[in-house]
């Protein structure tokens, strides 16, 4: 190839590269926030339409609560990044609110508006492990750099589809992600055949994990809004903050993650395999 052709070829490659870089989407990667928070919410068929709405309203009220906004404002950066995901079976995870910064009440209200834009849908089966895998993947595309990364997962039953939840939990925690839980021990919805009496123990032993991980059980739907508010304050403030001390003074202690599993982490899968006559609902 002659020198002239080589020069033309080099100019062509350089121009193409420059055009590619110019067209590439700009990223705000590494924008610092105090917490990157995935709100992962169960919408399996075991929950009624009314209960799904209670969940949505509970998160909306919590995100705009004065205590939550104050906990955000008191952080080193004064802002968090949050995404809201609804999940059911292994292949059913829907991002309702994409990654969004909350640094003010106006930011929180914009998130609430997105939550309220469409009614929630529900789907078959319960794959906590699928939700955790999906949630952990979301951090790679958040565009933010949180001092802490948290998956806040709520659900009304044990894992019954997908990979073993405790193994997925361990893999997620090994990435430096904290998993906190909100077991819904409400005995509501269309069917209670897959309920376990000690769902709080199951969450403690099989689902939550990471430094300072905790769970807050909900025994009645009337408790849900307050439980969400409390959980968000604790997640944003952390165990070393005065908020944690104040919450523990007003409410029973949250249950921290245990070192050694005691619950049967395969109980949901066993119940599903042995269902025989049971309706294929969850």
């Amino acid at each position: 190839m002659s020198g002239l052709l080589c020069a033309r070829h080099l100019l062509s490659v350089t121009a193409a590269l420059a055009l590619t870089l110019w067209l590439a989407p700009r990223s705000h990667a590494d924008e610092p926030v105090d917490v990157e928070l995935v709100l992962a919410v169960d919408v399996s068929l075991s929950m009624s339409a009314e209960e799904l709405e209670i969940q949505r309203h509970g998160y909306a009220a919590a995100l705009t609560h004065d205590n939550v906004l104050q906990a955000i404002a008191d952080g080193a950066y004064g802002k968090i990044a949050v995404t809201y995901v609804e999940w059911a079976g292994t292949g059913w995870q829907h991002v309702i609110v994409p990654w969004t910064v909350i640094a003010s009440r106006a930011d929180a209200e914009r998130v609430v508006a997105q939550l309220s834009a469409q009614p929630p849908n529900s789907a078959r089966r319960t794959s906590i492990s699928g939700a955790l895998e999906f949630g952990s993947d979301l951090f790679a595309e958040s565009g933010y750099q949180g001092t802490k990364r948290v998956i806040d997962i709520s659900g009304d039953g044990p894992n019954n589809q997908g990979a073993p939840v405790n193994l997925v939990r361990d893999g997620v925690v090994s990435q430096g992600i904290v998993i906190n839980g909100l077991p819904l021990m409400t005995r509501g919805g269309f069917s209670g055949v897959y309920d376990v009496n000690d769902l709080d123990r199951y969450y403690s032993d099989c689902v939550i994990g990471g430094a300072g991980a905790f769970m807050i059980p909900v025994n009645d739907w009337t408790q849900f809004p307050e439980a969400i508010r409390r959980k968000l304050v604790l997640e944003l403030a952390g165990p070393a903050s005065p908020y944690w001390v104040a919450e523990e003074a007003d409410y029973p202690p949250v249950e921290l993650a245990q070192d050694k599993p005691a619950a049967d982490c395969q109980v949901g899968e066993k119940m599903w395999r042995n269902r025989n006559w049971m309706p294929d609902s969850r």
Side-chain angles (χ1 to χ4, degrees), residues 48-168:
S48 69
E50 180 183 6
E51 290 168 342
L52 295 178
E53 286 293 342
I54 290 173
Q55 285 195 119
R56 284 274 189 96
H57 293 316
Y59 280 98
L63 288 168
T64 54
H65 195 282
D66 288 343
N67 291 5
V68 173
L69 294 175
Q70 189 61 52
I72 293 172
D74 287 350
Y77 298 105
K79 57 184 176 180
I80 66 169
V82 63
T83 181
Y84 186 99
V85 179
E86 292 179 339
W87 60 271
T90 51
W92 206 98
Q93 300 94 20
H94 287 185
V95 175
I96 306 303
V97 179
W99 283 109
T100 305
V101 164
I102 296 180
S104 65
R105 179 173 297 278
D107 294 336
E109 288 174 350
R110 280 192 286 271
V111 171
V112 169
Q114 289 179 281
L115 274 180
S116 307
Q118 295 181 345
N121 292 315
S122 58
R124 295 173 57 248
R125 306 293 293 270
T126 301
S127 182
I128 301 173
S129 58
L132 292 177
E133 289 174 332
F134 185 84
S136 65
D137 288 344
L138 289 176
F139 290 111
E141 58 190 53
S142 75
Y144 300 96
Q145 183 65 48
T147 303
K148 182 168 64 172
R149 295 182 296 167
V150 179
I151 297 176
D152 179 340
I153 189 159
S154 62
D156 71 342
N159 194 77
N160 63 34
Q161 189 181 42
V165 64
N166 55 319
L167 299 184
V168 172

Side-chain angles (χ1 to χ4, degrees), residues 159-197:
N159 194 77
N160 63 34
Q161 189 181 42
V165 64
N166 55 319
L167 299 184
V168 172
R169 181 269 315 274
D170 293 344
V172 171
V173 169
S174 71
Q175 301 174 48
I177 298 168
V178 176
I179 304 168
N180 294 327
L182 194 78
L184 306 176
M185 304 168 66
T186 52
R187 300 295 187 270
F190 297 135
S191 173
V193 294
Y194 300 111
D195 288 337
V196 294
N197 292 325

